[in-house]
Each structure stands twice: as structure tokens, then as C-alpha cells.
Amino acid sequence: MKGLVALIMLVSLMLTGCEEQPEQQLEFRVGLIAPVTGQISEVGRATVEAAEMAVAAANQQGGLVINNKQYRVVLLTEDNQDNTEHTISAALRLINQKNVSAIIGPQASRNAIPAARYAEYAKVPLLSPWSTNPRTTLNKDWVFRVAYVDTFQGQLMAKFAYDELGSRKAAVLYDVSSDYNRKLAEVFSTEFQALGGLVVAFELYTRDAPNLEEQFRQIQLATPDILFLPNYYNEVPDQARQARAAGITAQLLGSDSWAQIPETEREALEGAYFSAHFAIDKADGKALNFRARYREAYQRDPDDVAALTYDAFGLLFEAAKRSGGTEPQGLRDTLKSMPVYEGITGRIEFRGSGDPIKSAVLMAVKDGQFIFSRWVVPPEIP
């Protein structure tokens, strides 16, 4: 009898071992490089918030459905501290140690450009939401952006200054050590002069030398109609105050990096205009829903960085669904050939390159608020 019991138990154990074990949940590993700390930490905060919201939305129904299978999106965040060396280390860590299928970020062009080189070499798709410098995607097959490029942005601001404001004498102050600032300053100046205007002052500085007294003295002596400040949000308010203190009365113009300037710092910018990606006061449909969910989650409105970051994740998720998997090659190929994507920041279409065809928003500063002025549509969009 004991032998029979032992035999039954043995057979039972063997049958149990033969039962199919539940499959381990599939993962879609996505890297995020953001300046959580450093000089532009507000950009980092908006980046992380929008990323976490996008991932949560994808995972709340059990995961992203790709080729009839559910994938849990795993977000792997690296703080690059708005620093080139940390950016490179973050990219290498995500690619070589954390085995990500794609990278979102970095945001600032000065960080996106070096990260893009490593992503290209490793053949891992990289989507920078906010970088506008052409060098980020130049001669690269694995690198994309969500924002328009500085060539378009610089030209539209020069045309606006010359055609709409009637300006004929322009001054420019820019950080020569930053790819973003330098390229925008060059494009704006070239276009403004091509239209028939004069660039009467073209002043430069570096972030490690913030005393701009001499630069503003030269600008004041040149008596420009407009002063173009294509610099980061953490520097512009003080530059505007210094300009006014130096007796400069010129109309102030800016670029998309102004969108992060807090309301408490906008007094000296009253009446200025700048190019942007997202107008919160014009949000409707998909964008209005995004605004409501962002407000509920973080008790504040989303800015350009948040909207662009959310679109980057939306593009990546759509590419995964269309490619039927999360392999880097499939994601890259699908992004290049994907039809128009209607995002939070508008219509996005790559047409075989990493630079999207998309419109810009022109914003005005009025009573401390950023107010929608108009859409600027590139000629490629019929």
C-alpha cells in the first residue's frame, strides 16, 4: 500500500511539472534622457512628467498591444544634468547595460547632438522631443526629432520682424558656446539681411561669463528696432532686464526656448514675441484632453516640452504597433515611413528623414501671459 501511495505521488509531481507555466510578460524598454538636475531642471521636470504620464496611459490597460500581444512599457530614466559627459554616459548605459529598444531625449540640442552620434553608431532609434538644431539629425538614419528645425524657426522670426513689425535694424545677443543659440542667431541674421534689413549688432557671450554690460552698451549705441534673444529660458528674463536698464527700447523677439519662462519672470518681456510649438490657450480635441489629464496629475498646465515629449512617446508607440514588435530596426524603419501623426503639438510627418514637417506657433507676451498670435505653416504643407 505504501508503495502504491508513493507511486501516485510521484506521478502527480511529474504531471504538475508538465503543466504550462504562465508566460513572462513582454517588455518594451524605453530609455529617457532628461536634465532632471542642472541649469534647465524645469525642462527635466516637464520631460519626466509627460513621459510618466504617457507610459502610465499605455500600461493602464495591461500594456501596449503590439501584434496581438501585450507589452508592459518599462521607462528607464537617466539624468544628464544638462552636461555633455553625463549625456554620453547616460546614452551608453541605456544602450549597453539596460538594453533599451529606443531612447527619448535628450532635450537641449547641446546634449542631443552628442547623444545622437552614439545612438546612430549603436543602431538604436533616438527621438529628441525639443532639439531644433539641424546637426542633431544631420547624416543620421536612426535619429529623429519632434520639434521643427532652427532653419525654419530662425527664418520665420526674421520674416515676422521685417514684414509684420516693419523692422529694418536688428540686434542679436546669443550664447556662442551653445549649438542651439548660435545656429538660431546665424539663421535669423542671414534671413533678415536677405530680406533687406541690417544687423547692426551681433553680440555674443558664454554661459560662464554672464556679465553682459559691454554687449548691451554696443547694442544701445547701434539703436536697433528689434533685439533677438535666441537663448534659454533661465537666462532671458535677466537679459531683458539688463537691456532695459541699458536704455535699449527695441522690440524683443525670442525663440521656442522662451516657453519655459515662469510667469513671475515675464514683466520685462511685455510686448515681446517668440516662436513656440504648443499654444495652451488654443488647445482642442486631443490637446485639450492632454491638458486636462496633465492638470489633474500635476496641478499645472503642460508647456511645450511636456507636449513635445508626450508626442515623442506617442510616435514611438505607434511605430511599435505598426512594425509589430519592439526591435530597434523595425521601429526605425516604421518611423521613417509612417503616415501623418496627429499629435498634441499638431501634424507630424517625417517623409523619409528624421526632421518632421510641421507648423510653428507665434506667441505674444501680454500682461504676463503667453498668448497665441498665429500659426506659421511651412511651404511643404499644402
Side-chain angles (χ1 to χ4, degrees):
M1 186 67 177
K2 289 182 179 180
L4 180 59
V5 172
L7 179 60
I8 292 171
M9 291 178 65
L10 179 61
V11 171
S12 176
L13 287 171
M14 290 175 65
L15 289 173
T16 301
C18 291
E19 290 179 1
E20 288 189 10
Q21 298 299 314
E23 287 187 17
Q24 185 175 4
Q25 187 174 20
L26 297 169
E27 290 185 344
F28 184 8
R29 299 172 69 81
V30 180
L32 179 71
I33 302 177
V36 179
T37 59
Q39 293 189 337
I40 54 172
S41 58
E42 283 299 310
V43 169
R45 181 170 74 151
T47 302
V48 172
E49 288 176 349
E52 290 179 344
M53 197 169 86
V55 170
N59 287 336
Q60 67 182 1
Q61 300 299 326
L64 198 67
V65 179
I66 303 171
N67 198 19
N68 297 318
K69 297 179 181 178
Q70 286 188 312
Y71 285 74
R72 183 173 69 89
V73 182
V74 178
L75 183 65
L76 300 160
T77 303
E78 293 282 341
D79 177 14
N80 69 350
Q81 301 177 35
D82 186 30
N83 173 278
T84 300
E85 291 182 5
H86 286 291
T87 296
I88 294 170
S89 297
L92 292 174
R93 220 168 11 251
L94 290 170
I95 293 166
N96 298 326
Q97 297 176 23
K98 299 190 177 180
N99 302 314
V100 298
S101 295
I103 295 173
I104 302 293
Q107 297 285 22
S109 292
R110 59 194 179 211
N111 300 316
I113 291 169
R117 289 196 294 266
Y118 287 90
E120 183 74 13
Y121 178 78
K123 292 182 168 52
V124 172
L126 181 146
L127 256 169
S128 175
W130 197 49
S131 170
T132 52
N133 189 282
R135 287 177 57 205
T136 299
T137 56
L138 183 65
N139 298 324
K140 296 180 178 66
D141 289 324
W142 293 80
V143 181
F144 303 82
R145 74 175 89 236
V146 182
Y148 45 67
V149 295
D150 287 333
T151 307
F152 173 54
Q153 179 178 198
Q155 289 174 347
L156 79 86
M157 292 309 296
K159 289 178 183 294
F160 174 71
Y162 191 88
D163 295 337
E164 302 295 328
L165 299 180
S167 300
R168 296 296 180 265
K169 294 168 63 179
V172 182
L173 174 72
Y174 69 100
D175 178 0
V176 70
S177 66
S178 173
D179 293 285
Y180 167 82
N181 313 50
R182 186 173 62 251
K183 182 64 178 179
L184 262 175
E186 292 169 353
V187 172
F188 176 90
S189 298
T190 300
E191 180 68 17
F192 191 76
Q193 291 176 99
L195 291 168
L198 295 175
V199 177
V200 294
F202 195 68
E203 298 294 319
L204 56 86
Y205 70 96
T206 59
R207 278 179 291 164
D208 57 355
N211 187 338
L212 304 177
E213 185 176 338
E214 178 58 25
Q215 288 92 326
F216 282 120
R217 190 179 75 84
Q218 293 298 327
I219 292 171
Q220 195 273 336
L221 289 173
T223 63
D225 303 318
I226 60 164
L227 172 57
F228 184 48
L229 300 173
N231 305 314
Y232 282 97
Y233 74 93
N234 57 315
E235 300 174 307
V236 168
D238 189 52
Q239 291 173 1
R241 286 189 286 266
Q242 288 185 62
R244 297 310 187 213
I248 298 168
T249 58
Q251 169 81 56
L252 298 181
L253 296 181
S255 54
D256 66 310
S257 58
W258 283 31
Q260 280 66 48
I261 297 174
E263 190 173 342
T264 54
E265 294 289 314
R266 298 174 189 173
E267 184 177 353
L269 303 174
E270 184 67 23
Y273 291 90
F274 66 96
S275 46
H277 304 271
F278 177 66
I280 196 71
D281 55 330
K282 285 293 179 180
D284 59 8
K286 194 174 182 179
L288 190 62
N289 179 264
F290 167 71
R291 177 187 185 183
R293 289 186 293 114
Y294 196 94
R295 275 179 166 177
E296 182 180 2
Y298 306 114
Q299 290 75 57
R300 62 192 183 95
D301 277 329
D303 58 20
D304 281 33
V305 169
L308 289 166
T309 301
Y310 198 84
D311 275 349
F313 277 89
L315 280 161
L316 184 61
F317 293 164
E318 184 66 19
K321 292 175 184 177
R322 288 178 178 271
S323 70
T326 61
E327 289 301 313
Q329 178 82 48
L331 295 172
R332 190 283 304 264
D333 292 347
T334 304
L335 282 169
K336 276 186 173 293
S337 61
M338 202 161 69
V340 174
Y341 177 80
E342 294 294 343
I344 304 304
T345 58
R347 179 185 187 274
I348 303 169
E349 184 181 6
F350 287 111
R351 295 189 186 179
S353 79
D355 294 332
I357 306 298
K358 65 182 303 189
S359 300
V361 180
L362 189 67
M363 303 293 286
V365 185
K366 185 176 180 180
D367 298 327
Q369 301 299 310
F370 291 160
I371 306 298
F372 172 84
S373 177
R374 71 194 69 180
W375 294 103
V376 182
V377 181
E380 297 92 329
I381 298 178

